[in-house]
Amino acid sequence: MHSKEQISHDDYQKTAEWLMSRTKHRPQVSIICGSGLGRLADSLSCRDQFSYSEIPGFPQSTVQGHAGCLVFGELKGRSCVCMQGRFHMYEGHSLLKTTFPIRVFKLMGVQTLVVTNAAGSLADHLHPGDIMIIKDHINIPGLAGLNPLHGPNDDKFGPRFPAMSSCYDRGLRSLALEVTKQLDIAGLVQEGVYAMVGGPNFETIAEARMLHRLGVDAVGMSTVPEVVVATHCGMQVFGLSLITNKVVKSYEDSDCVNHDGVLEVGRLRSETVQQLVTEVISRMEINNNIDRTSSAV
Ligand SMILES: O=P(O)(O)O[C@H]1O[C@H](CO)[C@@H](O)[C@H]1O
Ligand code: HPA
């Protein structure tokens, strides 16, 4: 448990100010790249980028396929900040640390979080290479007592007991479904429920069957803490999972998932995910009258 760890409002503020003094960009949207999806940042123009190791307070990325670079830039005229590499609980970071960038982005004036991930499919209708728009999640570590919001609540960010019943913005989900028709990729895309497990091992067959019975369509080891913290501080969230593998649910099945295979599907579908994310971001409504840093929350 890491519930005694605390990060002060000042710590988030210092990082936000450090970044804002080094880039002219004032992002409205933040994007988190999932495993193998780091090339999403390539679509940004007029880039400023920082290695996580130089940013005060940032944890380090340790997972292959997560470059560890924060990229600012414009996507079709919209100012964005993109995390090329996220932090996972299984790397040994506390959940508060894995979600550190979200509150920094909030203080910088970001209103929308776009999360992407690589995930294994439990649903018969989702195949490797398909994209799942996340409509809801099951927070397995959270249900077991591991939540980034544990510990004293910082009321400046949000309430002690935040609702999570509509954390994946309905308007953005409909917009994304609309965009898939225009991009002619509707056949690849479905909505579904994501579950976060702690990792780093992939699921046993019994665990996979349990998740399937619980109504989970795709499983991964990330995303949910980021979404919980973003929702707590009032950001709207759009999430998508790239299905990189089928989760083995049968003792007769000899398939075996591995991280290289996950990254490979990421590389193959990176461009499609990039197109979808770009179109959704360019068409979403944004409030331009936003205070930044000290008065942002
Ligand atoms: O969720 P992202 O970061 O996309 O990565 C997914 O891929 C890795 C396993 O291959 C795990 O980290 C899992 O969570
Ligand atoms: O099958 C999986 N399980 C958990 N996490 C994952 N990330 C990609 N695929 C998977």
Side-chain angles (χ1 to χ4, degrees):
M1 287 275 184
H2 301 278
S3 56
K4 290 218 175 72
E5 183 187 18
Q6 284 189 44
I7 300 178
S8 72
H9 204 272
D10 255 19
D11 293 328
Y12 294 110
Q13 186 91 35
K14 275 185 198 136
T15 305
E17 282 169 7
W18 189 94
L19 288 164
M20 287 174 74
S21 67
R22 282 162 180 79
T23 177
K24 62 182 182 320
H25 292 288
R26 294 295 175 261
Q28 300 150 319
V29 179
S30 55
I31 306 164
I32 303 182
C33 302
S35 286
L37 294 169
R39 289 190 55 206
L40 272 174
D42 295 350
S43 350
L44 301 186
S45 57
C46 311
R47 274 181 284 199
D48 282 332
Q49 59 186 64
F50 305 91
S51 156
Y52 290 168
S53 58
E54 63 182 309
I55 307 174
F58 254 58
Q60 303 312 307
S61 278
T62 65
V63 183
Q64 194 200 344
H66 291 262
C69 199
L70 189 66
V71 185
F72 291 82
E74 293 203 353
L75 206 54
K76 290 208 168 169
R78 201 137 257 184
S79 189
C80 297
V81 57
C82 185
M83 287 179 66
Q84 260 184 333
R86 63 148 53 86
F87 311 116
H88 305 84
M89 188 173 85
Y90 63 75
E91 293 173 80
H93 304 300
S94 68
L95 286 174
L96 203 54
K97 235 3 193 176
T98 64
T99 54
F100 180 80
I102 309 295
R103 287 180 166 176
V104 170
F105 297 156
K106 174 70 182 178
L107 291 173
M108 295 175 72
V110 167
Q111 302 160 51
T112 305
L113 173 68
V114 175
V115 269
T116 66
N117 61 54
S121 162
L122 291 145
D124 296 336
H125 58 277
L126 284 169
H127 304 284
D130 287 353
I131 293 170
M132 185 185 86
I133 294 174
I134 307 176
K135 75 167 180 216
D136 202 351
H137 70 227
I138 298 182
N139 183 358
I140 306 267
L143 295 175
L146 275 172
N147 188 307
L149 301 179
H150 276 186
N153 185 56
D154 186 341
D155 296 339
K156 288 192 195 139
F157 282 114
R160 170 78 288 187
F161 300 109
M164 287 292 144
S165 46
S166 53
C167 51
Y168 298 91
D169 189 85
R170 192 186 289 254
L172 292 179
R173 287 194 278 127
S174 331
L175 172 63
L177 288 171
E178 204 46 49
V179 166
T180 62
K181 289 185 204 145
Q182 282 146 25
L183 293 176
D184 207 16
I185 53 166
L188 289 181
V189 184
Q190 322 232 7
E191 284 199 318
V193 175
Y194 176 89
M196 179 202 179
V197 293
N201 61 278
F202 292 105
E203 297 65 46
T204 65
I205 290 170
E207 287 164 350
R209 290 178 172 187
M210 178 196 78
L211 293 168
H212 184 53
R213 283 196 197 109
L214 289 178
V216 174
D217 297 301
V219 58
M221 308 168 193
S222 70
T223 302
V224 169
E226 298 149 3
V227 172
V228 166
V229 168
T231 303
H232 176 248
C233 67
M235 288 164 80
Q236 64 174 358
V237 175
F238 172 66
L240 53 85
S241 297
L242 173 64
I243 303 302
T244 52
N245 56 284
K246 281 270 187 192
V247 179
V248 176
K249 299 200 295 272
S250 157
Y251 291 101
E252 273 69 61
D253 191 337
S254 57
D255 273 5
C256 194
V257 58
N258 64 69
H259 189 56
D260 286 339
V262 167
L263 295 180
E264 181 57 19
V265 178
R267 271 190 290 273
L268 291 174
R269 272 283 186 258
S270 171
E271 205 175 314
T272 311
V273 173
Q274 207 165 317
Q275 283 174 335
L276 177 56
V277 166
T278 304
E279 282 309 307
V280 170
I281 290 177
S282 71
R283 295 191 208 181
M284 63 177 57
E285 279 176 29
I286 299 269
N287 170 12
N288 286 311
N289 298 320
I290 277 286
D291 286 339
R292 297 181 192 276
T293 64
S294 56
S295 51
V297 291

